[in-house]
Amino acid sequence: MVKVFIPRDTTSLALGADKVAREFAVAAEQRGDSVEIVRNGSRGLFWLEPMLEVETPAGRVAYGPVTHADIDSLLEQGVLQGEQGHPLSLGLTEEIPYLKKQQRLTFARAGITDPVSLDDYQAHDGFKGLRNALQMDAQAIVDAVKASGLRGRGGAAFPTGIKWQTVLDAVPTDAVNGESGQKYIVCNADEGDSGTFADRMVMEADPYMLIEGMTIAGLAVGATQGYIYLRSEYPVAHQILNEAIAKAEAAGFLGNDILGSGRRFDLEVRLGAEAYICGEETSLLESLEGKRGLVRAKPPLPAIVGLFGQPTVVNNVLSLAAIPYILDKGPQAYADYGMGRSLGTLPFQLAGNIKQGGLIELAFGLTLRELMEDFGAGTFSGRPARAVQVGGPLGAYLPESQWDTPLDYEAFSAMGAVLGHGGVVVFDDTVDMSAQARFSMEFCVAESCGKCTPCRIGSTRGVEVIDRIRNNENREANLELLTDLCDTMIDGSLCAMGGMTPFPVMSAVKHFPEDFEPQTAEGGA
């Protein structure tokens, strides 16, 4: 029986993978061929999805992008024997340059295993980190995470081990009667940044890795309850996570007695509130408690007073997903990747006007230009790229003069930009950067929680000021007013929603001033 792999992730499903899987099985049966269809996760080569892979003695052979109309010709030309004469043949999957040039630590299993198969997961080093953690005391686990140099992959880049140490040292108390209370592990899976999909890929392609990472976090800080706060627009991830959690509980990897150790960790998925602001950790906690997602003032930090007033680890999916590798291979194996204080790897997500969009996991240190040219293969439109936004809708717009900057937290911070969650959105030379600046302010108007004045009112006034600039009304005075307004939002906002909205706005003004010039009747400056 020949194994044929057809992804079941959101991107592949949107491109017709279910129909390809159904019709391939029917067509193979009619021909008398014996096949097993495995619904794997995506490898992240999205421009090739649905990508069909066939297991052969030499390794998996890939074909893509496959539509239902290609099935008969693929079968006729020997796809089940790994023949590579078909126009959609991509050769051995592992030899595809886009994939071969990567350094996959977190995404080592993505696209290889059946996402909900415990056997597959364990056959590919799954739960080795958890087994090691069960032999360690809490402080030793935290020390290993510190030594790895792992920093939060959700955007803030705060050292993960330091956060865990704070929660380990904190004493939980019941707010009502002073009795000993609970500590919590909360996974921020409310992935809302433009051009990002790495969290979704983890949950859809390798959910046990996230489960294992959260369980290890619970052992490290003394928490026995975890929650995955999942973006409600991810129904496929929701289904896969719930199935994986149920199987992990049944097999003893979660619950009252983890692998016979007497240790406990329970895990639930909770759907998000369809609000971008709930990606901010304190707003997320409010939402998780059943309240409106409003930002909390800090201090106190969530690590000390978090969910239900108790010490709480709040980490992004990618942060928690890196933990099993660290506890399995050792912290130094992880720290050997990267540069400076940016250690390990980051899954960069290439999107926008790009020919080869997808996920690229590499050590910190390559440049934005290398990412776009070596992996993205230029713009989808074929026109020159003009601007790149890195780090989501609150990230700066970068001109070509900054594309040779290393992808490194400190290097980006030094030029007023952010790496954030690793999302990279490309724009070609037809983009109107004044319109993009206006969109940034308008986005803040729509997504602000409304708690603080600089964000709530500042963004509304910002849209009005940019409109006046675009209409050439007191242009110089309004440009000065826009700068003052952005400074106020940066210095006065409670959280990054208002505090970072000025980043894309002012970068557009600084690097693309011609787009804010008066337009002639013919459309020229």
Side-chain angles (χ1 to χ4, degrees):
M1 180 173 291
V2 179
K3 281 189 176 181
V4 177
F5 298 82
I6 302 173
R8 60 179 290 192
D9 71 297
T10 296
T11 300
S12 300
L13 294 178
L15 294 168
D18 269 353
K19 188 172 185 178
V20 170
R22 285 194 307 269
E23 297 195 5
F24 191 95
V26 170
E29 183 179 6
Q30 290 174 345
R31 289 169 53 92
D33 295 318
S34 180
V35 300
E36 177 188 352
I37 305 292
V38 179
R39 303 306 300 276
N40 58 328
S42 174
R43 292 182 184 253
L45 284 65
F46 285 159
W47 82 100
L48 295 175
E49 294 292 7
M51 188 171 78
L52 180 151
E53 296 178 69
V54 178
E55 190 172 75
T56 74
R60 292 190 195 174
V61 176
Y63 305 83
V66 175
T67 70
H68 67 96
D70 301 311
I71 292 172
D72 288 340
S73 62
L74 282 166
L75 288 168
E76 288 168 4
Q77 294 188 37
V79 64
L80 295 179
Q81 291 74 46
E83 297 295 335
Q84 299 178 31
H86 194 279
L88 296 182
S89 174
L90 303 167
L92 291 170
T93 309
E94 300 295 340
E95 295 299 316
I96 297 173
Y98 193 96
L99 193 58
K100 189 176 182 179
K101 290 186 290 185
Q102 297 186 37
Q103 295 160 307
R104 290 203 162 190
L105 308 185
T106 301
F107 284 84
R109 283 176 293 266
I112 294 176
T113 60
D114 174 346
V116 293
S117 168
L118 278 168
D119 289 341
D120 270 9
Y121 185 65
Q122 293 181 84
H124 291 81
D125 293 339
F127 291 120
K128 285 187 176 180
L130 175 59
R131 294 180 190 277
N132 288 340
L134 287 168
Q135 305 304 313
M136 303 161 66
D137 64 28
Q139 187 60 61
I141 299 172
V142 173
D143 288 344
V145 176
K146 287 181 186 175
S148 73
L150 176 66
R151 294 164 71 177
R153 298 294 190 246
F158 188 81
T160 303
I162 300 299
K163 180 181 287 189
W164 287 20
Q165 184 71 64
T166 305
V167 179
L168 173 60
D169 294 341
V171 178
T173 56
D174 188 294
V176 176
N177 56 28
E179 294 179 358
S180 178
Q182 170 69 273
K183 292 181 181 180
Y184 295 99
I185 307 298
V186 174
C187 173
N188 183 348
D190 194 39
E191 185 176 48
D193 282 352
S194 49
T196 59
F197 41 81
D199 289 357
R200 175 179 62 76
M201 277 190 61
V202 165
M203 294 182 287
E204 293 178 353
D206 200 3
Y208 292 117
M209 178 172 56
L210 178 58
I211 293 168
E212 182 180 1
M214 293 186 70
T215 306
I216 293 170
L219 297 174
V221 304
T224 59
Q225 179 64 53
Y227 295 100
I228 299 172
Y229 186 87
L230 176 66
R231 186 181 184 191
S232 60
E233 294 89 344
Y234 284 173
V236 177
H238 189 202
Q239 174 192 346
I240 289 174
L241 281 172
N242 280 332
E243 185 177 347
I245 288 171
K247 288 186 175 182
E249 287 176 344
F253 294 103
L254 285 173
N256 294 329
D257 187 21
I258 300 170
L259 295 178
S261 67
R263 312 287 290 278
R264 175 174 186 162
F265 189 73
D266 297 308
L267 185 58
E268 297 178 31
V269 180
R270 296 289 177 86
L271 288 180
E274 300 184 11
Y276 180 78
I277 193 62
C278 287
E280 192 278 334
E281 62 178 359
T282 64
S283 182
L284 182 156
L285 293 176
E286 290 285 294
S287 178
L288 198 51
E289 291 177 4
K291 306 170 188 173
R292 179 182 172 191
L294 293 177
V295 173
R296 298 176 184 175
K298 292 185 286 190
L301 297 171
I304 299 170
V305 181
L307 186 64
F308 304 119
Q310 303 290 14
T312 304
V313 168
V314 184
N315 277 142
N316 162 267
V317 171
L318 295 179
S319 308
L320 292 161
I323 299 299
Y325 180 93
I326 293 167
L327 269 292
D328 174 19
K329 308 298 183 186
Q332 190 57 51
Y334 191 80
D336 284 342
Y337 293 87
M339 60 178 287
R341 292 178 51 219
S342 300
L343 300 181
T345 61
L346 181 65
F348 299 98
Q349 298 128 87
L350 201 50
N353 194 329
I354 197 75
K355 189 176 294 182
Q356 294 182 175
L359 180 132
I360 304 105
E361 184 180 358
L362 286 168
F364 292 92
L366 81 159
T367 68
L368 192 57
R369 192 185 303 274
E370 289 172 328
L371 189 69
M372 294 161 55
E373 295 180 356
D374 294 352
F375 290 90
T379 64
F380 183 81
S381 64
R383 300 181 63 90
R386 186 182 184 211
V388 183
Q389 187 175 36
V390 182
L394 308 181
Y397 291 106
L398 307 180
E400 186 176 4
S401 61
Q402 295 181 330
W403 295 351
D404 293 314
T405 304
L407 290 161
D408 161 83
Y409 289 125
E410 278 64 47
F412 265 58
S413 179
M415 64 180 189
V418 292
L419 272 185
H421 188 47
V424 178
V425 180
V426 180
F427 300 83
D428 73 9
D429 62 356
T430 63
V431 67
D432 180 347
M433 294 308 297
S434 67
Q436 290 302 123
R438 186 188 190 280
F439 167 78
S440 298
M441 281 292 188
E442 190 176 33
F443 181 81
C444 188
V445 172
E447 298 295 344
S448 171
C449 77
K451 187 168 184 176
C452 70
T453 302
C455 179
R456 181 183 72 250
I457 302 300
S459 55
T460 301
R461 297 289 87 84
V463 172
E464 297 168 357
V465 172
I466 292 174
D467 280 344
R468 290 199 292 270
I469 294 169
R470 284 164 57 85
N471 292 330
N472 199 27
E473 300 173 20
N474 295 322
R475 181 176 171 278
E476 294 304 322
N478 277 304
L479 280 169
E480 184 176 349
L481 178 60
L482 182 62
T483 300
D484 290 344
L485 178 63
C486 286
D487 288 342
T488 300
M489 292 178 69
I490 291 170
D491 296 333
S493 298
L494 270 176
C495 79
M497 182 78 245
M500 290 178 62
T501 290
F503 285 19
V505 175
M506 295 314 298
S507 64
V509 172
K510 178 180 179 181
H511 298 299
F512 306 95
E514 61 275 18
D515 286 20
F516 294 83
E517 295 284 348
Q519 301 295 305
T520 67
E522 288 75 25

